[in-house]
Amino acid sequence: MQQLKNIAVLAGDGIGPEVVEQAVKVLKTVSEKYNLGLTFQEGLIGAIAIDETGDPFPKATENLCNAADAILLGAVGDPKFDNDPNIKVRPEQGLLRMRKTLGLFANIRPTVMYEELADFSPLKKERLEGVDLIIYRELTSGIYFGEKSTSEDGQSAQDVCYYEVSEIERIAHLAFQAAQKRRKKLCLVDKANVLESSRLWRRVVQRIAPQYADVEVSYMFVDNAAMQLIVWPAQFDVVLTSNMFGDILSDAASVLSGSMGLLPSASIGNANYLFEPIHGSYPQATGKNIANPMATILSVAMLLRQFDLDAAATDIEAAVHRCIQEGFVTEDLNKERFLGTREVGEKVAEFLG
Ligand code: IPM
Ligand code: MG
């Protein structure tokens, strides 16, 4: 395992800079406590990068990411690009190009429940008991990156869902290894009753499953999985799926816990590791010191764990949990009694002591 020293910080757009600032504060606190000697370097991505350089993922940022041991990302996106279908350069292109060029092939999204926040969930309490699942979404291939075209007369268009065995294998191995460290269950979600590419996923997963004999494998069609995530989410441990199915299911899974503002994610490649909150740039809240920094702070815990710094990661998770228990939260989690983004970050840092 490579050592963690140098972190590229890409704050991005909207509330990105505010939540990232708090996460960096927390990282600096654990860096001192555990003598990690972490260093930070900032780079541009998204709308702000377009404004300053014309490119949502400038070469300088790519170089910075490649030189860093890990990347911390805030959020990407600005409404000024959303309503004009003729705009050529968009912030999201930066995100997609970053994933592809850095080879971030596995997107990992845990859904963790906090008992104290069960009332925020759209599901009834009894359906939430025992929910602890993690989605492994393939991130650099499939329909997102397959051949795309629009016919010359503009009357038809296509996006090809293309997968290679090697692309399925590498994420399947990560998902199986994760299952081995968890409840030892893996569910492949696909549409193998219709799609050839899904049948390839099944063949690959069936072929490598015997290497992980202690993991119980199941298969589920994606339409059923969308339903099962709502009626009985506790049945899932590790969910393995392709790019677009994972995009859709991870949004569904993200609301189970009741707050998007709490959920971290990791995107893993062979040489790069990126960590970000799953929420977006939340433009309406920009600059107001109201955004919940906990998802980004918990992303930092995932970052540390990736580098086997388990004690520091556990400290952060415990500090966030204590803030929730003692009511040091932003407005989204308590309308009557709340703190600002900065103050929550400071509380987490203080509890790290
Ligand atoms: C996500 C987002 C992105 C995706 C968008 C912004 C391109 O929805 O990270 O899940 O579709 O992958
Ligand atoms: Mg999405």
Side-chain angles (χ1 to χ4, degrees), residues 109 135 137-138 241-251:
R109 293 185 175 191
I135 296 181
R137 165 191 176 193
E138 201 289 325
T241 193
S242 60
N243 201 344
M244 179 128 104
F245 296 158
D247 178 45
I248 299 165
L249 293 180
S250 62
D251 263 29

Side-chain angles (χ1 to χ4, degrees), residues 12-321:
D13 305 320
I15 58 168
E18 293 168 67
V19 292
V20 161
E21 189 186 333
Q22 301 317 311
V24 168
K25 184 188 296 169
V26 166
L27 258 180
K28 284 183 175 159
T29 309
V30 290
S31 176
E32 262 171 47
K33 180 172 172 186
Y34 289 94
N35 228 334
L36 303 177
L38 300 182
T39 57
F40 302 87
Q41 270 182 302
E42 292 180 10
L44 293 170
I45 191 163
I48 177 144
I50 299 177
D51 290 345
E52 292 193 20
T53 71
D55 182 346
F57 185 57
K59 193 76 193 163
T61 303
E62 184 186 331
N63 294 340
L64 186 78
C65 291
N66 278 323
D69 301 310
I71 306 158
L72 179 65
L73 177 73
V76 165
D78 188 309
K80 73 182 177 199
F81 295 92
D82 288 345
N83 300 323
D84 180 357
N86 296 320
I87 281 186
K88 289 256 153 16
V89 185
R90 292 172 185 283
E92 289 78 9
Q93 290 163 347
L95 203 60
L96 295 174
R97 226 170 63 226
M98 175 174 70
R99 290 172 181 170
K100 195 68 178 176
T101 34
L102 300 181
L104 301 168
F105 63 82
N107 182 231
I108 304 166
R109 293 185 175 191
T111 292
V112 183
M113 305 297 305
Y114 294 87
E115 235 174 84
E116 299 82 2
L117 302 176
D119 287 340
F120 288 90
S121 175
L123 296 194
K124 295 197 189 80
K125 251 196 186 125
E126 56 271 24
R127 297 197 177 200
L128 297 174
E129 210 165 297
V131 172
D132 177 10
L133 65 95
I134 189 161
I135 296 181
Y136 274 67
R137 165 191 176 193
E138 201 289 325
L139 201 60
T140 51
S141 187
I143 196 167
Y144 271 55
F145 292 96
E147 208 182 296
K148 295 173 190 299
S149 62
T150 303
S151 65
E152 262 173 41
D153 62 6
Q155 294 305 300
S156 65
Q158 60 166 358
D159 298 275
V160 176
C161 183
Y162 176 86
Y163 267 111
E164 293 181 8
V165 167
S166 60
E167 293 170 329
I168 302 167
E169 274 172 348
R170 61 188 179 182
I171 185 167
H173 282 295
L174 286 186
F176 271 110
Q177 284 155 17
Q180 282 185 319
K181 292 192 202 131
R182 295 172 47 97
R183 301 201 311 284
K184 301 192 169 43
K185 292 197 323 184
L186 182 145
C187 180
L188 174 65
V189 172
D190 61 26
K191 191 73 187 174
N193 49 345
V194 177
L195 302 178
E196 203 55 42
S197 53
S198 283
R199 289 191 275 272
L200 185 65
W201 274 78
R202 281 213 185 186
R203 275 197 292 276
V204 171
V205 167
Q206 278 164 1
R207 186 162 44 72
I208 67 175
Q211 297 173 36
Y212 304 92
D214 53 338
V215 176
E216 179 199 323
V217 184
S218 61
Y219 304 90
M220 200 181 274
F221 298 140
V222 63
D223 46 351
N224 185 27
M227 181 177 77
Q228 295 295 333
L229 265 177
I230 291 157
V231 295
W232 184 25
Q235 71 185 285
F236 297 105
D237 180 17
V238 176
V239 172
L240 169 63
T241 193
S242 60
N243 201 344
M244 179 128 104
F245 296 158
D247 178 45
I248 299 165
L249 293 180
S250 62
D251 263 29
S254 73
V255 296
L256 297 176
S257 77
S259 175
M260 284 268 254
L262 282 177
L263 298 178
S265 77
S267 298
I268 303 290
N270 287 324
N272 280 293
Y273 306 95
L274 176 135
F275 302 83
E276 62 179 314
I278 69 152
H279 60 68
S281 57
Y282 193 13
Q284 307 87 320
T286 306
K288 294 188 179 155
N289 195 39
I290 59 172
N292 188 344
M294 287 175 170
T296 316
I297 293 173
L298 291 169
S299 299
V300 156
M302 278 186 99
L303 186 163
L304 292 164
R305 201 157 264 133
Q306 182 67 36
F307 288 86
D308 291 332
L309 298 164
D310 288 341
T314 306
D315 277 0
I316 292 175
E317 285 156 356
V320 168
H321 198 187

